[in-house]
Amino acid sequence: MNAPALQFSEDQAEAYDRVTEVLRGAGVDLDEGLLTPMAEDRTSVMAVVGKAGSGKTMLLARLYEALAEAGVEIVSGDYESRRLKDKRSLAILAPTNKAASVLRMSGVPATTIHRILYTPVYDPEYEKIAEWLAGNPILDLAHALGDDALEFEDFERMVEAAARTDDRVEVAPRVDADLMARSPVLVWRNVTRVRLIQAFRAANHAPTDALLPGEPLICDGIELPLKHRKRRIDLEARGLIKGAQVIYLGPGRKPGFSRLHVVGAEDPQISAASIIKIEFPGQEEPFIPFAARMGAAFLHGAAVTIHKAQGSQWPEVQVFAPDIWAAARAGRIEAGLPLWKRLAYVAITRAQERLIWVTRYRLARPQRTLGTEDLSAAPGPLALQQEAEET
């Protein structure tokens, strides 16, 4: 004999109708079996509560069946390789494995919240990322550093092997001066950083007492007294935070001001009171070609220590391998790990697309003139107004 169909109680029927109404407003009509794309600005939250045994699981099972019949796609804890753009989807999530198991026994394909957090939902951009990650040599090299038995020489052979089979890794005998203008060389030692910066400036015929348009800078913080808190907030809102990468465009209209391009900012062009420091080998104090009494402080950005590069990424990154080798020779241990491995891991994972492993103390001459043609137009009225106010 067939078991009689379960009937809703009054409370269950009311809850079913109210959930159905919310779904209809979101473009899922269970009564007509019609689906329309989700409106981007349309969201809603609804909670169905009840005591144990009140029929919540049965209600969820019936809702799931109706949604599946309407053509809603069920998102599981497994990787969804491809899904149509306008396809409506449903994920049934439980806080624990036990709760998910109970729901699955009732015919509801539930998974845990934890598992779905690590499940990529298809999007064309996500697929590009997934394809890039598959067999990514940079991540493979980073993971290899976890081997306790790995020595520096072994790791460098791995980098060379990766470079022979994948153009996302390159072994270079010289630092690329052209790339330094937009992506700093990553080094361990401060003395290496200063020497590479001076070599970059000399190769581009930069004067010792001034900056050329197109030279890269790194924001070293905002030097403003507490009473200028609003001005500090404004500068930080424009992207001038400690560690921000900036391109020098030229002097501002007022003494001590610089026109700057803040890389990655929504409105990158800005004119701000600046304190720019140029460091030289063997000199403890930096040379300051010009400076406002207070404002944003900058160091040259053609080379950066690996420590300061943490948290930043660039499409292409040059890692100065002689410094990593020097750390390996020093034999230092930090937090239970060889220092050179910590440095190498941070350095190579700063590369989003391409890693360049530089093996010699040499700088290739620039092949193009340093400039700002690759950047957007000059500062807009807002930036110039800010300069006028900061006199």
Side-chain angles (χ1 to χ4, degrees):
M1 296 178 60
N2 293 330
L6 295 175
Q7 298 296 318
F8 278 155
S9 67
E10 291 184 6
D11 289 345
Q12 287 174 315
E14 181 183 357
Y16 185 93
D17 291 341
R18 293 183 64 179
V19 173
T20 300
E21 187 62 30
V22 170
L23 291 171
R24 185 179 296 111
V28 179
D29 191 330
L30 296 183
D31 295 330
E32 301 295 331
L34 298 176
L35 303 177
T36 57
M38 178 71 177
E40 292 185 2
D41 58 347
R42 183 66 180 267
T43 60
S44 59
V45 177
M46 183 178 184
V48 178
V49 298
K51 296 180 180 179
S54 60
K56 299 186 296 297
T57 300
M58 174 189 169
L59 173 64
L60 180 58
R62 292 287 293 275
L63 283 168
Y64 155 67
E65 291 172 1
L67 286 163
E69 289 176 2
V72 175
E73 181 178 344
I74 307 302
V75 177
S76 70
D78 298 319
Y79 174 66
E80 305 289 329
S81 61
R82 184 176 294 274
R83 189 166 68 236
L84 296 177
K85 181 179 179 181
D86 294 330
K87 190 76 172 178
R88 303 307 301 272
S89 59
L90 165 71
I92 301 172
L93 310 180
T96 65
N97 277 319
K98 178 66 179 297
S101 177
V102 170
L103 289 172
R104 288 195 294 269
M105 290 175 63
S106 300
V108 179
T111 189
T112 61
I113 297 172
H114 179 271
R115 187 175 183 188
I116 210 72
L117 284 174
Y118 297 97
T119 299
V121 178
Y122 176 75
D123 181 277
E125 292 302 315
Y126 296 164
E127 184 172 274
K128 292 177 183 178
I129 295 172
E131 291 173 352
W132 184 83
L133 288 173
N136 183 280
I138 298 173
L139 294 183
D140 290 343
L141 291 170
H143 292 156
L145 290 165
D147 184 354
D148 293 338
L150 186 72
E151 300 293 339
F152 174 82
E153 291 75 12
D154 302 325
F155 180 72
E156 194 160 55
R157 300 294 86 74
M158 293 179 66
V159 174
E160 293 169 353
R164 287 193 293 268
T165 60
D166 197 307
D167 59 8
R168 290 174 291 184
V169 177
E170 177 185 345
V171 175
R174 297 178 177 85
V175 176
D176 186 333
D178 289 323
L179 187 56
M180 290 173 74
R182 296 297 179 262
S183 176
V185 183
L186 302 187
V187 304
W188 171 42
R189 297 175 293 192
N190 204 48
V191 64
T192 306
R193 178 182 67 86
V194 175
R195 286 174 177 169
L196 283 172
I197 287 171
Q198 288 305 318
F200 168 84
R201 301 199 75 232
N204 283 284
H205 307 290
T208 58
D209 59 350
L211 288 178
L212 293 176
E215 288 198 66
L217 302 172
I218 296 291
C219 182
D220 198 37
I222 307 295
E223 298 183 5
L224 289 173
L226 187 60
K227 66 179 181 179
H228 294 294
R229 181 172 175 272
K230 182 179 182 298
R231 191 173 299 171
R232 174 190 292 274
I233 293 173
D234 290 342
L235 289 173
E236 291 177 345
R238 298 294 301 276
L240 281 182
I241 60 175
K242 191 175 180 67
Q245 186 184 7
V246 176
I247 307 300
Y248 179 75
L249 300 178
R253 293 182 178 179
K254 301 290 184 181
F257 277 75
S258 301
R259 292 185 296 114
L260 307 167
H261 179 98
V262 184
V263 177
E266 183 177 353
D267 184 12
Q269 304 290 326
I270 186 173
S271 184
S274 307
I275 304 166
I276 298 176
K277 307 170 185 177
I278 304 296
E279 299 158 287
F280 290 92
Q283 297 184 13
E284 293 186 5
E285 295 297 325
F287 172 70
I288 301 177
F290 58 87
R293 289 186 297 108
M294 54 188 178
F298 299 95
L299 298 174
H300 205 279
V304 174
T305 62
I306 295 170
H307 174 72
K308 284 198 172 183
Q310 292 186 78
S312 300
Q313 280 196 310
W314 294 270
E316 295 180 285
V317 166
Q318 299 183 89
V319 177
F320 196 66
D323 263 20
I324 308 294
W325 176 81
R329 294 274 292 180
R332 288 172 52 180
I333 303 294
E334 290 190 359
L337 292 174
L339 173 61
W340 79 266
K341 289 187 177 181
R342 296 175 65 90
L343 293 171
Y345 183 90
V346 172
I348 67 177
T349 55
R350 299 312 90 198
Q352 293 174 316
E353 299 172 7
R354 191 160 172 262
L355 167 67
I356 302 171
W357 186 262
V358 181
T359 59
R360 296 286 185 272
Y361 280 90
R362 297 176 182 173
L363 180 75
R365 291 187 177 277
Q367 300 300 305
R368 51 183 181 270
T369 304
L370 188 65
T372 62
E373 294 77 11
D374 59 317
L375 306 175
S376 53
L382 179 61
L384 297 178
Q385 179 183 357
Q386 182 184 16
E387 179 178 342
E389 292 173 352
E390 296 182 357
T391 58

